[in-house]
Amino acid sequence: MKLLEINNMKKNFDDLEVIKDISLSVEEGDVLAIIGPSGSGKSTLLRCATLLETMDSGELKYVGETAASTDQDGKAIYASAQDLKRIQQYFGLVFQNFNLFPHFSVIRNVIDALLTVQKKSKEEAYAIGRSLLSKMGLSEKEDAYPYQLSGGQQQRVSIARALALNPRVLFFDEPTSALDPELTGEILKVIKDLAAEDMTMVIVTHEMNFARDVSDHIIFMDNGVIVEQGTPDQIINHPENDRTKAFLSRFEN
């Protein structure tokens, strides 16, 4: 079953074409890695897919429900606010810079949306939150505040917060880019564990070995287009496009 469908997405910032007619889909249980140089449009694609940015034209669907489509004038039109609020429940997003509420404790960061968006009881919200913190190895940090945590711990709280709403698709935007190298491994392990549990994920990453090891499908983007896509073995080990080869030559496989 297709959980995410993007068809002919385009996005400009003033006169700059950032996304140029991109189409992709993600099946339930799949892990899609998106790689490419800085400025290639990867993060903008993610922001459009998660409704943080509005695309100029194209189609966006979650679980068969249309979040945005193109009208007869070639402009994107979005579903009603009520429908978008429901569709937003289908996905979660983990930011590269954590985006935790500094004045909330760890547990409150995780359960806030359960209380305010899903209107769950405190008892149920805390049970979900504590279960997820245990899964992230952070049970003892429940009452701590973000400033008291390492970057890796903050990112694990961010992942727990995204998982709390039980999304069908989980997006990661460069989840290790703000971390010291020694903390990167702990976050990659968390994501690998989620992949082993068949969590559907879309991951923008600059970690090539990780992309190869965790994903079912890789897209290489450059200059706002999908240059090449295929299995990890095809893209990382046997790229066909010269631009892909040049990009990957900077990394040790």
Side-chain angles (χ1 to χ4, degrees):
M1 178 183 184
K2 289 182 181 178
L3 296 190
L4 169 66
E5 294 178 69
I6 294 173
N7 295 306
N8 308 116
M9 178 186 284
K10 297 179 181 179
K11 175 65 178 178
N12 289 13
F13 290 111
D14 297 323
D15 294 330
L16 179 64
E17 278 188 295
V18 182
I19 301 293
K20 306 172 184 176
D21 199 13
I22 280 183
S23 298
L24 62 87
S25 63
V26 181
E27 297 280 341
E28 187 170 18
D30 280 353
V31 178
L32 170 65
I34 303 175
I35 64 173
S38 297
S40 60
K42 306 185 303 295
S43 290
T44 300
L45 172 63
L46 228 62
R47 290 179 65 81
C48 288
T50 55
L51 304 174
L52 294 175
E53 293 278 1
T54 57
M55 59 188 183
D56 295 326
S57 63
E59 184 179 50
L60 175 64
K61 289 184 177 182
Y62 281 96
V63 199
E65 294 190 43
T66 301
S69 57
T70 302
D71 66 13
Q72 60 186 8
D73 296 321
K75 302 294 184 183
I77 52 172
Y78 280 78
S80 68
Q82 182 178 359
D83 286 344
L84 287 178
K85 187 175 181 179
R86 185 186 68 256
I87 289 170
Q88 284 176 313
Q89 303 295 306
Y90 288 133
F91 61 83
L93 173 60
V94 177
F95 298 90
Q96 55 182 293
N97 292 314
F98 323 137
N99 282 33
L100 299 175
F101 294 116
H103 57 293
F104 281 175
S105 66
V106 163
I107 187 69
R108 184 57 195 258
N109 265 286
V110 174
I111 69 171
D112 184 60
L114 291 173
L115 297 171
T116 60
V117 178
Q118 294 192 346
K119 308 297 183 184
K120 293 188 182 295
S121 68
K122 280 191 174 182
E123 292 76 13
E124 186 177 4
Y126 272 92
I128 292 170
R130 286 172 175 147
S131 174
L132 286 167
L133 287 178
S134 175
K135 184 175 183 174
M136 296 294 143
L138 292 171
S139 293
E140 76 285 357
K141 299 295 185 180
E142 175 180 325
D143 296 321
Y145 284 82
Y147 76 91
Q148 298 172 306
L149 305 180
S150 71
Q153 289 170 331
Q154 289 186 62
Q155 191 61 295
R156 280 185 278 156
V157 175
S158 180
I159 294 170
R161 178 182 60 184
L163 289 171
L165 296 175
N166 197 27
R168 302 287 297 274
V169 184
L170 190 56
F171 291 89
F172 291 86
D173 186 9
E174 299 277 14
T176 61
S177 66
L179 301 177
D180 294 332
E182 64 266 25
L183 299 177
T184 294
E186 67 184 67
I187 299 306
L188 299 185
K189 182 183 183 302
V190 168
I191 298 173
K192 286 181 180 179
D193 289 345
L194 291 173
E197 297 171 7
D198 292 325
M199 183 75 206
T200 307
M201 293 183 282
V202 178
I203 308 168
V204 169
T205 183
H206 61 275
E207 300 281 347
M208 295 303 112
N209 290 333
F210 169 68
R212 180 182 58 198
D213 293 343
V214 77
S215 62
D216 300 293
H217 194 80
I218 294 179
I219 283 174
F220 171 65
M221 282 184 63
D222 189 31
N223 198 29
V225 300
I226 295 174
V227 175
E228 191 168 358
Q229 58 184 311
T231 66
D233 181 61
Q234 288 172 329
I235 301 303
I236 302 295
N237 297 330
H238 304 99
E240 295 182 356
N241 186 279
D242 288 341
R243 183 67 189 90
T244 314
K245 292 176 183 177
F247 174 77
L248 291 171
S249 68
R250 308 201 316 266
F251 300 91
E252 291 185 8
N253 295 331

